[in-house]
């Protein structure tokens, strides 16, 4: 148990072997893709619920989202995108070569509030050769994207003080 942190080795007989411990990059890549999909689904839902589509004349409304005109929906979309596209410029927080999703090949596509893997080779390189930096980009306590996103969403959905609960109470 003292050879490698978090690993217990059980030896059954004397001999020689090679043990190779590597990062499970395929699982991490799959989780990144799952995150991208979930983010895009959430932004699609926000757009659908706040959408207004006019009909053939300006007075005809074909589609009116249930949250149309709600400023909180716009704020959620805007703040979420801001968290994901933020450039972390403090070198004490993140390696400056890996301080934004764009540095690992994940970025927005056009004007839509969606993200995608735009450079799979760059992502594969980060997974294979810069795993610690990639992990920091997502998980760093101060600047990690997932920690910032979690802090933001916790502020939205907290059952006692969350913005959504407060909005519901006010309504």
């Amino acid at each position: 148990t003292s050879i490698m942190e978090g690993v217990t080795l059980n030896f059954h007989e004397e001999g020689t072997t090679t043990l190779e411990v590597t990062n499970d990059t395929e699982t991490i890549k799959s989780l990144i893709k799952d995150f991208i999909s979930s983010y895009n689904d959430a932004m699609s839902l926000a757009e659908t619920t706040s959408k207004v589509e006019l009909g053939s004349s300006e007075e005809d409304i074909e589609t009116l989202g249930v949250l149309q005109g709600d400023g909180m929906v716009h704020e959620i979309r805007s703040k979420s995108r801001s968290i994901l596209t933020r450039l972390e410029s403090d070198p004490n927080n993140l390696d400056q070569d890996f301080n934004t999703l764009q540095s690992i090949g994940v970025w927005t596509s056009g004007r839509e509030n969606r993200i995608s893997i735009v450079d799979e080779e760059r992502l594969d390189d980060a997974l294979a050769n810069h795993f610690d930096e990639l992990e920091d980009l997502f998980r760093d306590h101060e600047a990690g994207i997932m920690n910032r996103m979690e802090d933001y969403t916790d502020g939205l959905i907290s059952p006692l003080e969350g913005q959504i609960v407060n909005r519901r109470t006010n309504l």
Side-chain angles (χ1 to χ4, degrees):
T1 59
S2 64
I3 296 173
M4 290 181 284
E5 183 179 331
V7 176
T8 300
L9 300 172
N10 297 309
F11 300 100
H12 298 282
E13 61 185 65
E14 189 176 319
T16 303
T17 189
T18 301
L19 174 66
E20 185 177 341
V21 179
T22 62
N23 295 316
D24 186 355
T25 59
E26 287 305 311
T27 297
I28 301 301
K29 187 173 183 179
S30 177
L31 291 170
I32 290 170
K33 287 179 178 181
D34 289 349
F35 171 74
I36 290 169
S37 178
S38 295
Y39 173 83
N40 290 340
D41 288 349
M43 293 305 106
S44 178
L45 177 63
E47 288 172 10
T48 300
T49 60
S50 61
K51 185 182 237 179
V52 175
E53 287 183 1
L54 299 177
S56 56
S57 72
E58 289 185 21
E59 289 129 25
D60 293 336
I61 298 176
E62 286 187 15
T63 304
L64 183 62
V66 67
L67 295 175
Q68 184 275 325
D70 190 317
M72 184 179 286
V73 176
H74 174 73
E75 178 189 326
I76 289 170
R77 292 172 57 202
S78 175
K79 180 70 174 177
S80 296
R81 183 177 177 113
S82 175
I83 289 169
L84 294 186
T85 60
R86 178 178 163 202
L87 173 70
E88 176 57 53
S89 59
D90 185 346
N92 295 317
N93 289 335
L94 294 179
D95 182 309
Q96 293 300 285
D97 290 333
F98 296 91
N99 60 356
T100 180
L101 281 176
Q102 189 173 23
S103 66
I104 63 164
V106 177
W107 203 238
T108 61
S109 48
R111 295 178 60 120
E112 293 183 358
N113 196 4
R114 305 289 188 280
I115 58 174
S116 62
I117 298 173
V118 296
D119 188 341
E120 195 143 0
E121 287 180 18
R122 187 181 281 185
L123 178 57
D124 290 341
D125 179 65
L127 285 162
N129 302 310
H130 305 282
F131 194 85
D132 290 343
E133 293 87 347
L134 180 130
E135 181 180 20
D136 286 346
L137 176 63
F138 282 96
R139 295 180 52 182
D140 181 80
H141 181 68
E142 294 295 321
I145 291 167
M146 298 311 291
N147 286 328
R148 290 187 313 217
M149 187 63 84
E150 181 179 29
D151 289 346
Y152 177 62
T153 56
D154 283 353
L156 288 172
I157 64 172
S158 171
L160 299 177
E161 301 173 339
Q163 291 180 17
I164 293 173
V165 170
N166 288 339
R167 171 66 59 85
R168 192 179 294 158
T169 300
N170 290 339
L171 289 173

